[in-house]
Amino acid sequence: MGMFWLLAFVLCQIIPTQAAVTVGGGVGINIGNAGGGGGGVWIGGGINNNNPTPSSSPVSKLSSAYTALQAWKSAITDDPLGILKTWVGSDVCAYKGVFCAGSQGAMGPFVAGIDLNHANLRGTLVKELSLLSDISILHLNSNRFSGTVPESFKDITSLQELDLSNNHFSGPFPTVVLYIPSLVYLDLRFNSFSGPIPDDLFDKRLDAIFLNNNQFEGELPQNLGNSPASVINLANNKLSGNIPVSFGLASSKLKEILLLNNQLTGCIPEGVGLFSEMQVFDVSRNSLMGHLPDTISCLSDIEVLNLAHNKLSGVLPDLVCSLRSLMNLTVAYNFFSGFSQECSKLFFRNAGFDFSLNCIPGRDMQRPEPQCSMIPGGGLSCLRIPSAQPLVCGALVGNLAVNVSSASP
């Protein structure tokens, strides 16, 4: 029951203050995080979109909601938990998983949220769902919905959270989500979407982007760093090419980025150091090469730094190992040739430090010497700040902007 009241509380914050949440048919379906996908209520980094005040009469609102939900019900072909048995009659506020808000006054009740997480429903989404123009939350994590997102979803003007994770959706990236005006939370993970990720996604005012565990391919958009999101998860796809050189130049609010288990190549760009609020940086299981940029030492809030299973080389810098918030540093399965005394101190800080299967002389569990005779990417030229001056984190933006512009054709 605790998560039910949390959802009710969040809905009270999203919809106009004079509206009160009314829920029929009991609680939502297993609201919360479980299984492969997301779920639960997103309380993110604070991008605020002002929802339009619901319009039209109370009767027409609930009538439209009835039309939408009955059309959707007819497109659901399996309901093993019997959720839809409650979807009978015109009182949509009594439907299980449907959350209404508003009093009996001038505004009247209207459907403000749908939470069918873990309902195990099989079916498709229907265009009539756009009639739910006042809905703020649509959580469908861990079902068996297939197909794609109807183009009519662009008309759901109040929708702030869309969670379609852990379903059977497929096809190209559903570009219609880019035109949902109030959206701040997008969760498409654990589906079968494929093709490129559109550049426009990272210009939209989203606070959370979860696209991991799909079949997305192609290069990372060059404007990846433009996103105001606090969390970006693109892990476990088929993305290739370099991390954009400009990454980090346009934004400094990113707290977590996960690019693990793709097919990325090239260098880790210097701009990574501009994310002063970064807490998790995971680029493991790619084919990144070259030396680590010294700018990583500017990640003063970093807690998890995972660089494992790449082709990185050089000496692990003192400055990286001395990051004060670091709780886990993983550089296993690379070609590092050494690390400093500061890195040894991580063991005494109770911080995780895995440096196995590298090329560090005198250390246990390293690569066989023949593997270390030819370092991958030895001739790779990474764009780096000239090292004549000591690194000053506060001066990074200007220096990197000059370097990037001079390197551009």
Side-chain angles (χ1 to χ4, degrees), residues 77-92:
T77 57
D78 191 25
D79 175 22
L81 301 181
I83 305 302
L84 301 186
K85 290 179 180 179
T86 67
W87 288 29
V88 177
S90 59
D91 185 7
V92 296

Side-chain angles (χ1 to χ4, degrees), residues 88 92 155 181 183 187-188 193 220-221 230 253 308 313 316 321 363:
V88 177
V92 296
D155 298 323
L183 196 67
D187 193 343
L188 303 180
F193 290 112
L220 291 173
S230 59
K253 299 302 181 184
S313 57
L316 201 58
C321 293
R363 296 286 180 173

